[in-house]
C-alpha cells in the first residue's frame, strides 16, 4: 500500500468511528430523557443514570448511596420496574 491508501483507510475508519460515537451519544441522551421524564423519584433517577449513563462502577455507586450490595441491587431493580411500568 502506498501512503494515499493508508490515509484513505484511516480517514474512512475515523468517519465510521465518529458516526458510531454520535449514535451512542444520541442513545445516551434519549435514555437520560426517558429516565427524567418517566421517573418521579429522584433516587430512582439517580440510580439508573449512574448505572447506565455514567462511567461509575458498582462500587462507586454503592459508595455514593452508602448502602449494602443487596440494597443497591434492590434500588436498581425497583427503579427498572417503575420505569418499565411507565413505558
Amino acid at each position: 500500500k502506498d501512503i494515499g491508501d493508508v490515509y484513505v483507510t484511516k480517514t474512512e475508519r475515523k468517519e465510521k468511528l465518529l458516526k458510531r460515537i454520535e449514535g451512542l451519544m444520541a442513545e445516551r441522551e434519549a435514555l437520560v430523557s426517558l429516565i427524567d421524564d418517566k421517573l418521579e423519584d429522584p433516587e430512582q433517577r439517580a440510580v439508573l443514570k449512574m448505572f447506565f449513563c455514567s462511567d461509575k462502577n458498582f462500587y462507586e455507586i454503592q459508595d455514593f448511596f452508602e448502602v449494602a450490595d443487596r440494597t443497591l441491587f434492590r434500588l436498581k431493580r425497583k427503579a427498572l420496574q417503575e420505569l418499565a411500568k411507565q413505558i
Side-chain angles (χ1 to χ4, degrees), residues 2 19 22 26 46 48 52 58 82:
D2 67 349
K19 284 181 184 178
E22 288 172 3
L48 293 186
F52 298 114
F58 179 85
E82 185 61 33

Side-chain angles (χ1 to χ4, degrees), residues 7-79:
Y7 178 76
V8 168
T9 301
K10 287 186 179 200
T11 302
E12 289 171 350
R13 270 200 221 154
K14 178 183 174 185
E15 289 172 6
K16 286 181 184 179
L17 183 58
L18 288 173
K19 284 181 184 178
R20 178 71 177 137
I21 290 170
E22 288 172 3
L24 291 171
M25 293 299 293
E27 287 177 19
R28 181 187 177 282
E29 289 175 24
L31 180 58
V32 168
S33 293
L34 179 68
I35 291 168
D36 284 340
D37 294 345
K38 300 296 182 182
L39 292 177
E40 292 182 20
D41 185 313
E43 187 175 60
Q44 290 179 348
R45 287 194 309 261
V47 165
L48 293 186
K49 283 181 184 180
M50 291 178 97
F51 268 103
F52 298 114
C53 302
S54 73
D55 291 331
K56 298 195 180 304
N57 64 42
F58 179 85
Y59 299 106
E60 291 172 321
I61 298 168
Q62 184 182 20
D63 288 344
F64 177 83
F65 285 100
E66 298 178 345
V67 296
D69 293 4
R70 295 178 75 191
T71 303
L72 184 56
F73 282 121
R74 190 170 50 251
L75 287 170
K76 180 182 174 189
R77 183 180 66 239
K78 186 175 179 184

